[in-house]
Amino acid sequence: MEQQLLHLLAETQSPAEAPRTHAEQQLKELYPNEAFPLSLCSIASHTSVPLNLRQSALLILKTFVVSSWSPSFDEFKGTVLVSDATKEQLRNGVLNIATSNDETDDRKVKAAASYVVSKIASVDFPDQWSGLLPHLLQVIPQGTLSQVHGALKVLSDLVEDGLNEDQFFSVARDLVKVVFDVATNDTRKSTLRALAVSIFRGCFATLDLVMDSHRAAVKAFADEVLNAWMPFFVETMKKALPVIPKEDEESREGGPQQEWRGVIALKLQVIKTLMKIRTVFPAVLSPQTPLLFSATWEELSLLQEPYQQMYIKDERQGRLEDADGLPYTLDFLVLEELDFMQSCLRAPPVRKELNNQLQASSGATGTAGTSWLTEVMKLAVTYAQITTEEEGLWDIDVNVFLSEETSVTANYTARTACGDLVIKLGEWLEHVAVEGLLVYTTTLFANTQSAWKSRESSLYVLDQLLTDFHDVDRKISPEMSNGFAEYVRYALQQDDVFLRARGYLVAGVLIRTSSDAFQEVGFAFMHQTLKAISDDPSDVVKVAGIKVLQDYLQTLPSAMVQPLQADISGALALFFASQDPDDLTDSDDLLVTLVETLRDTIRLDMRVCIAPESKTLDLLFTLASRGARNFQLAMLVNETFEDVASSMAAMGGDAYMRLCEKVLPTLTGAFDVGNLTGENFLTNLAADLLSVLAEHGSEPLPNGFVAATMPKLNRLLLTSTDGELLRPGTVAVKYMLAHDHKQMFEWHDQNGKSGLEVCLVIIDRLLQEGMDDHAAAEVGGLAAELVEKAGSERLGPYLLQLLRAVAIRLASAQQAAFIQSLIIVFARLSLVSAKDVVDFLAQVQIQNDNALQVVMSKWLENSINFAGYDEIRQNVIALSKLFSLDDPRLALIMVQGDLIVPQSDRIMTRSKARQNPDRYTSVPVPLKIIKVLIEELSSASGGARNLDPASAALAGADELGSDDEHDEDDDNGEWEDVPNVLELGLGTTKAELMAYGEGSGTGAGALGSRQRDDETQAYLTAFFRDVSEKNVARFSEMFAMLTADEQQKLSLLGQAAG
């Protein structure tokens, strides 16, 4: 079988798809063969077999194991295909490969075998493989170099993936002892010692999982092991690096670079482990932080020269890892140590000591000039210098430069870490940090020997610090502003491109964080910036100038900058015209920056858009066409155009008409261009902008508006299946009807159909069962508008057909926005005649169900999720009118009531939740209407909604923070052993956190609440008072069936009214 498998394994790596797919299928067909896994293991064990096939054999074996070994695997296919005897052979076989004594065996093969071992161990250890860990713990102290490496790799995978909490704790002491002996043994290779430290770090991930349930035992264990490890950590951090290998030696095996790599890898793992301990047991590590901080600072001070030599002056390769996944390059080490230094700065013992030194220094000199603060600034400026690699990349592609400046890159480097370090100092020391940076910057610029990279770096660090100051509305003193302005002026006059660009960028943030007295200086910088955008020979400088214009436009008084509006627009147009269109294809960051600056320019005076000679909107649309695929850019263009359209509409007169004259040819032309080129994104963007224009339309619309837009809109709406096009297109037609139905109905298409007929055809297509809910999400609004504007006289028999079609589609609708859209049709009709709506629905059958039952069930189940103030208000009034009908047909319909909460304290997993879906009570329609309206009354008053667990945790964050009263400052809570209750990686949590910061409990951004709606609240208050006093529709009976919480809300309303 081995020869057959070798052939199939080779075929799986064929570049041709057919033989590769066939071989993969044949391998799966061999799964039931008892010899299959043993043959794969045998192939992997033979050093004579090509390396790629050995690795492939182990990869296939791993796939086989997780699918056919045990039901405990998530990937298990339902049948165990391996006998116990074969399992025993395989366990020993792959373990022998992983811990082979052959020094020539490839590490990649051992790593692959180790992964298979860890997978098997995850289900077989310790019951079926009790000897695994004892074997590893025996091999590691006594084995050869190759065996120890293999055993450590297996142990690493076991700790990471193969051991549960109980298994870990049963061997924790022995395991930690074994890796400690390897890590502290100076005679071992440094890379082996680094791997041992990495395993120790992995133990803390397991300890973190069980902290809550075994806090005392875990902390005692952590204290014990850290007391043993800490001297080794400090000693390793203080260990001197070997001589830097020459560049031509870096790629060789053995020699000086091997020890260089090994020591760096070991130091890196020590720092990573300390960072992990700080995350899990900050209070345990806190007393050691002054010593660790000092060691880190000392190390970083010593590494300045080698780092400069390798990355600032030369272009050595960085960010490299070995076959075991251990990073070993100097840039990685510096990055980790900068992060750890920043972390230590938040520890109470470190802050206390540094505060004492700072006070002593300030008391002696009156400034921070000779303090540790200046030294830290010097360190940050050194490591924040532009590397040779970055210099080359930015010089070739300004888009890469911009992505770094706008922090949209995932490339976290020593430069960005230095920015974070200085920001942290600014948060702690505020203006003292700025003073310390100014002192060092003065020294740096005064030294004629200083390189341009050092000067640029000092301004970069200042840029980061002041940007953070601006984010928290903190200003700097006039003396500091003027002091830094001097160095900005110097930078603007230099030949070095990146220093000059940095000067422009810092000038902008300086005006943002300075007092009003600095405005004249800022205006002079703005003039200089505008000149640079047109005249500077470097695109990097021009792009920096374009970006920084946003700072001036948003900060300086409008009266000061408005006279420059035309000049700015012209400069932007000239720059854009100078760019190669092909280069702009992948220049999203540049296009976004151009649109952002153009947006701020337009906002100075919206009237510029309709000036006869103005090309501002032409530039906006051209930028949009270049980057229509980019979601952020499309949103910015939409936002900008909405500002313009709403502004023109508010001006009245002929402003909106002139806007239409300018933009309609471009927008309708974009439909044709998009169709010809296949650029769906361009067509979609044009539809979005047209819907914005129609939404803010005048009443009536300018003559010819419908005729100019409907032919192409009609064609798109009747042929496209793209939801991103159909939704804005539908909205555009809806607003044309809303603003000028007369013009719409009088228009005829090329076939002679009236606008009314065209709208009916569009609605009919969007209501078809095959149409995606998302694509048809706006059809209800269009249908409601058509019914309202045309009336039964114009619609005739089509009215009932339309309403029937809406009801039928509502029965199968699933998407929330689409459901709301369809319900609004009946809600708006109910505002005029609720009885007619009930009468109509009662006569319609949808398959075996009555339409009244279907519509009311969907309506009341989804009402509480409605979005949009107008829609919510219309829905509330419609429901109140339906209740007041006191129609017995509604009383007979049972709909979903309150959630039935299961009486269990067991954790509900996803699988259990699927097996036990939510259950609800059943209540009559009138009672459900009252329940919905009570909830809407609470929401309209700005009351909080029910929060999900993540939101609840967020809301409780302040309470957690308040427990740290004994801490010396706000950051010290991070050094207490308080569990993290927030998962900030969750998009929902981030969004809610941002919303929480935007408003108070009654504001628009309050967490879990809706902005106060006085009009809806007043209506509902009057409604409940009326139905209560007059006992409308037997309200008193309904009140008795409400929950205690609902009754209390209404009782409080009655007390407030009384």
Side-chain angles (χ1 to χ4, degrees):
M1 173 172 276
E2 289 181 19
Q3 289 301 317
Q4 179 187 5
L5 286 176
L6 282 170
H7 172 72
L8 291 175
L9 291 172
E11 287 288 280
T12 61
Q13 299 181 20
S14 168
E17 183 179 358
R20 184 175 68 248
T21 305
H22 180 64
E24 290 169 352
Q25 184 58 39
Q26 283 189 288
L27 285 170
K28 289 180 181 179
E29 291 172 0
L30 289 172
Y31 274 23
N33 191 319
E34 190 76 14
F36 175 70
L38 292 173
S39 298
L40 288 173
C41 185
S42 176
I43 289 170
S45 67
H46 284 96
T47 55
S48 59
V49 174
L51 174 63
N52 64 318
L53 297 185
R54 296 176 69 195
Q55 285 181 276
S56 179
L58 288 166
L59 178 62
I60 298 297
L61 181 58
K62 187 271 297 182
T63 306
F64 170 79
V65 165
V66 298
S67 66
S68 310
W69 189 280
S70 166
S72 299
F73 286 116
D74 292 338
E75 302 92 333
F76 184 65
K77 300 299 183 183
T79 304
V80 175
L81 299 177
V82 196
S83 67
D84 289 343
T86 302
K87 285 183 177 181
E88 183 66 23
Q89 288 181 267
L90 281 172
R91 284 192 287 258
N92 293 329
V94 290
L95 182 58
N96 287 336
I97 297 172
T99 58
S100 164
N101 191 26
D102 189 345
E103 299 288 344
T104 63
D105 214 349
D106 192 273
R107 280 194 172 192
K108 292 179 180 178
V109 171
K110 289 190 172 186
S114 170
Y115 191 49
V116 178
V117 170
S118 69
K119 283 294 180 184
I120 296 174
S122 68
V123 295
D124 283 4
F125 177 83
D127 296 337
Q128 284 80 42
W129 203 357
S130 58
L132 171 61
L133 208 53
H135 174 74
L136 294 175
L137 298 183
Q138 183 180 2
V139 167
I140 291 171
Q142 302 173 4
T144 64
L145 176 64
S146 178
Q147 287 177 313
V148 173
H149 170 261
L152 283 173
K153 185 60 183 167
V154 172
L155 192 58
S156 175
D157 288 340
L158 270 178
V159 169
E160 184 175 346
D161 291 319
L163 300 178
N164 61 35
E165 296 103 26
D166 293 336
Q167 293 167 351
F168 173 79
F169 277 112
S170 67
V171 297
R173 292 194 193 292
D174 293 338
L175 190 156
V176 170
K177 173 68 168 60
V178 165
V179 295
F180 176 79
D181 290 342
V182 175
T184 56
N185 189 342
D186 289 336
T187 64
R188 293 285 193 187
K189 284 179 62 176
S190 296
T191 48
L192 275 186
R193 299 171 69 193
L195 186 54
V197 177
S198 173
I199 295 170
F200 179 59
R201 184 180 82 250
C203 294
F204 284 92
T206 305
L207 292 175
D208 194 13
L209 291 174
V210 295
M211 269 287 285
D212 288 340
S213 53
H214 303 87
R215 181 174 292 272
V218 169
K219 288 194 72 172
F221 177 73
D223 282 332
E224 177 186 334
V225 297
L226 287 178
N227 284 335
W229 282 78
M230 197 57 66
F232 161 69
F233 286 157
V234 175
E235 179 188 341
T236 304
M237 292 172 72
K238 292 183 175 181
K239 182 180 177 69
L241 283 177
V243 177
I244 304 175
K246 296 177 182 177
E247 189 168 2
D248 59 354
E249 296 174 340
E250 283 190 301
S251 58
R252 298 178 191 169
E253 289 297 326
Q257 79 284 350
Q258 184 170 341
E259 183 58 18
W260 167 265
R261 291 178 183 178
V263 173
I264 289 178
L266 179 59
K267 285 174 171 284
L268 258 164
Q269 291 309 312
V270 166
I271 296 296
K272 282 177 170 287
T273 302
L274 288 170
M275 288 289 281
K276 183 64 179 179
I277 296 169
R278 182 251 173 213
T279 303
V280 183
F281 301 107
V284 173
L285 194 62
S286 185
Q288 307 290 335
T289 49
L291 177 62
L292 296 171
F293 178 77
S294 176
T296 306
W297 190 348
E298 183 179 339
E299 167 99 320
L300 283 169
S301 299
L302 292 173
L303 294 180
Q304 290 179 85
E305 182 56 37
Y307 183 84
Q308 282 222 40
Q309 185 61 46
M310 295 181 75
Y311 301 108
I312 308 302
K313 296 177 181 177
D314 293 340
E315 192 176 354
R316 297 286 188 95
Q317 196 166 4
R319 309 183 79 82
L320 298 177
E321 296 180 349
D322 66 12
D324 296 323
L326 299 177
Y328 62 81
T329 47
L330 184 62
D331 58 327
F332 267 140
L333 177 60
V334 167
L335 183 58
E336 290 291 339
E337 291 190 338
L338 285 168
D339 272 353
F340 185 63
M341 185 177 184
Q342 180 194 148
S343 180
C344 287
L345 276 173
R346 300 197 287 270
V350 173
R351 286 202 170 181
K352 182 177 180 180
E353 175 61 27
L354 293 178
N355 252 330
N356 291 339
Q357 292 184 27
L358 196 61
Q359 289 170 7
S361 173
S362 299
T365 64
T367 69
T370 58
S371 72
W372 61 265
L373 180 59
T374 308
E375 292 303 310
V376 172
M377 292 298 180
K378 178 181 178 182
L379 195 74
V381 167
T382 299
Y383 286 113
Q385 292 179 75
I386 300 172
T387 64
T388 305
E389 180 186 18
E390 288 171 330
E391 185 181 358
L393 288 173
W394 297 351
D395 201 36
I396 294 170
D397 189 350
V398 294
N399 202 61
V400 179
F401 170 75
L402 258 183
S403 69
E404 297 286 350
E405 287 303 312
T406 52
S407 301
V408 296
T409 174
N411 189 24
Y412 189 67
T413 63
R415 180 174 171 92
T416 46
C418 288
D420 290 345
L421 174 63
V422 174
I423 286 172
K424 187 55 62 178
L425 286 170
E427 291 172 354
W428 171 29
L429 301 173
E430 300 184 4
H431 71 278
V432 176
V434 184
E435 181 186 342
L437 181 55
L438 178 58
V439 169
Y440 178 66
T441 303
T442 301
T443 304
L444 188 65
F445 275 76
N447 184 354
T448 56
Q449 301 302 311
S450 297
W452 72 264
K453 285 190 176 183
S454 297
R455 289 170 172 161
E456 189 280 339
S457 178
S458 68
L459 294 179
Y460 166 79
V461 167
L462 173 65
D463 195 345
Q464 299 300 298
L465 179 58
L466 294 187
T467 298
D468 186 69
F469 268 41
H470 170 69
D471 290 342
V472 295
D473 295 325
R474 189 176 291 151
K475 300 288 186 181
I476 62 175
S477 68
E479 293 76 18
M480 291 180 186
S481 297
N482 290 320
F484 285 119
E486 179 183 343
Y487 306 122
V488 169
R489 293 188 187 96
Y490 174 88
L492 299 184
Q493 305 304 317
Q494 300 309 299
D495 293 334
D496 307 293
V497 168
F498 294 107
L499 176 57
R500 202 160 67 248
R502 181 61 52 197
Y504 285 109
L505 291 166
V506 171
V509 74
L510 201 57
I511 187 63
R512 279 181 175 264
T513 51
S514 298
S515 64
D516 292 347
F518 198 71
Q519 288 178 355
E520 289 297 332
V521 177
F523 189 59
F525 280 144
M526 183 180 180
H527 262 291
Q528 204 165 347
T529 302
L530 199 51
K531 188 173 185 299
I533 294 172
S534 301
D535 301 341
D536 198 284
S538 167
D539 272 357
V540 170
V541 175
K542 290 180 178 180
V543 165
I546 290 169
K547 181 179 182 297
V548 84
L549 276 178
Q550 297 167 30
D551 292 341
Y552 298 118
L553 293 170
Q554 295 170 20
T555 307
L556 292 173
S558 179
M560 183 178 281
V561 296
Q562 188 173 330
L564 297 176
Q565 186 178 29
D567 293 339
I568 297 171
S569 297
L572 295 177
L574 282 174
F575 173 81
F576 180 72
S578 70
Q579 300 299 298
D580 186 335
D582 293 336
D583 292 341
L584 291 172
T585 304
D586 298 317
S587 298
D588 286 349
D589 295 302
L590 175 57
L591 291 172
V592 166
T593 299
L594 282 164
V595 171
E596 287 175 335
T597 304
L598 183 60
R599 173 202 61 197
D600 292 342
T601 305
I602 289 171
R603 285 175 174 173
L604 290 175
D605 184 357
M606 300 284 188
R607 291 173 298 181
V608 68
C609 297
I610 57 174
E613 70 286 354
S614 173
K615 301 292 183 183
T616 305
L617 288 180
D618 292 338
L619 177 58
L620 179 68
F621 293 154
T622 304
L623 290 170
S625 68
R626 293 291 183 189
R629 292 175 176 271
N630 182 282
F631 177 76
Q632 182 188 3
L633 186 137
M635 290 296 292
L636 279 169
V637 171
N638 261 297
E639 173 191 311
T640 305
F641 188 64
E642 185 163 11
D643 286 347
V644 173
S646 60
S647 229
M648 296 304 105
M651 287 180 191
D654 64 348
Y656 181 81
M657 182 183 69
R658 290 163 63 190
L659 176 65
C660 293
E661 290 172 353
K662 266 192 171 291
V663 303
L664 278 180
T666 304
L667 294 181
T668 54
F671 290 138
D672 294 330
V673 173
N675 289 333
L676 287 171
T677 61
E679 286 285 341
N680 293 338
F681 292 97
L682 180 59
T683 307
N684 296 350
L685 180 59
D688 279 329
L689 297 177
L690 183 57
S691 70
V692 168
L693 185 65
E695 179 182 357
H696 296 282
S698 58
E699 294 188 9
L701 291 169
N703 288 333
F705 188 101
V706 173
T709 57
M710 274 303 294
K712 292 173 182 177
L713 262 184
N714 182 36
R715 175 174 52 81
L716 292 170
L717 289 172
L718 293 181
T719 57
S720 176
T721 56
D722 184 359
E724 300 304 317
L725 173 61
L726 292 174
R727 284 184 293 106
T730 308
V731 170
V733 177
K734 177 185 77 173
Y735 282 118
M736 286 185 225
L737 269 173
H739 293 311
D740 196 345
H741 64 277
K742 185 173 181 292
Q743 187 177 159
M744 175 65 82
F745 294 156
E746 289 176 353
W747 169 77
H748 289 73
D749 71 1
Q750 59 185 4
N751 298 320
K753 287 184 181 177
S754 69
L756 175 60
E757 291 178 90
V758 168
C759 289
L760 284 169
V761 173
I762 291 171
I763 292 170
D764 179 67
R765 178 175 188 252
L766 295 175
L767 287 175
Q768 290 174 6
E769 285 292 337
M771 185 62 66
D772 179 67
D773 281 13
H774 177 71
E778 298 293 343
V779 67
L782 174 58
E785 204 64 54
L786 182 65
V787 169
E788 186 174 302
K789 292 299 191 290
S792 57
E793 299 81 8
R794 278 197 180 96
L795 286 171
Y798 294 116
L799 174 59
L800 297 183
Q801 293 178 28
L802 172 60
L803 296 179
R804 178 184 173 84
V806 171
I808 291 172
R809 189 63 181 89
L810 179 59
S812 61
Q814 298 295 323
Q815 206 251 356
F818 185 39
I819 292 172
Q820 173 179 322
S821 168
L822 297 177
I823 289 172
I824 284 296
V825 176
F826 297 109
R828 287 174 64 169
L829 282 173
S830 298
L831 298 179
V832 180
S833 178
K835 185 176 185 307
D836 288 344
V837 172
V838 173
D839 289 343
F840 166 74
L841 291 174
Q843 298 169 17
V844 175
Q845 284 295 118
I846 300 177
Q847 294 181 348
N848 296 324
D849 297 313
N850 181 262
L852 187 60
Q853 169 79 53
V854 171
V855 171
M856 293 312 302
S857 294
K858 270 285 175 69
W859 190 340
L860 292 169
E861 284 175 25
N862 290 276
S863 279
I864 205 64
N865 300 317
F866 272 25
Y869 287 106
D870 288 339
E871 289 82 357
I872 290 171
R873 193 173 298 123
Q874 290 169 2
N875 184 56
V876 163
I877 298 172
L879 289 176
S880 70
K881 290 183 177 295
L882 286 171
F883 177 82
S884 298
L885 282 178
D886 193 17
D887 193 307
R889 291 170 294 184
L890 294 177
L892 291 174
I893 296 174
M894 303 300 288
V895 295
Q896 187 184 90
D898 300 321
L899 176 67
I900 300 174
V901 181
Q903 300 300 312
S904 172
D905 57 359
R906 297 184 65 184
I907 297 173
M908 183 64 71
T909 63
R910 290 179 184 174
S911 59
K912 289 179 181 176
R914 284 193 294 268
Q915 296 166 11
N916 301 281
D918 289 340
R919 294 168 55 232
Y920 294 84
T921 61
S922 292
V923 298
V925 165
L927 177 57
K928 181 65 175 182
I929 289 176
I930 294 299
K931 287 175 173 288
V932 169
L933 294 182
I934 290 172
E935 185 64 30
E936 289 295 349
L937 177 62
S938 176
S939 298
S941 62
R945 293 176 174 174
N946 293 329
L947 301 180
D948 57 34
S951 306
L954 179 63
D958 288 339
E959 283 78 358
L960 275 176
S962 65
D963 289 339
D964 298 321
E965 294 176 2
H966 57 280
D967 291 339
E968 297 179 15
D969 52 68
D970 292 340
D971 283 317
N972 297 347
E974 299 184 27
W975 285 89
E976 297 299 321
D977 289 338
V978 176
N980 295 321
V981 296
L982 289 184
E983 177 52 72
L984 292 179
L986 292 175
T988 52
T989 308
K990 289 180 180 178
E992 288 166 346
L993 182 60
M994 294 301 292
Y996 189 71
E998 290 172 3
S1000 62
T1002 58
L1007 180 65
S1009 65
R1010 193 172 81 208
Q1011 188 173 14
R1012 188 180 181 89
D1013 183 355
D1014 291 336
E1015 189 175 336
T1016 301
Q1017 184 187 19
Y1019 177 85
L1020 284 172
T1021 301
F1023 167 77
F1024 279 118
R1025 184 183 299 115
D1026 186 59
V1027 296
S1028 176
E1029 291 174 354
K1030 300 176 181 177
N1031 196 26
V1032 175
R1034 298 179 303 284
F1035 175 77
S1036 59
E1037 296 177 19
M1038 300 296 163
F1039 183 84
M1041 290 187 280
L1042 296 173
T1043 65
D1045 182 55
E1046 290 166 339
Q1047 289 178 351
Q1048 184 184 21
K1049 288 178 181 178
L1050 288 183
S1051 297
L1052 289 174
L1053 176 64
Q1055 292 170 15

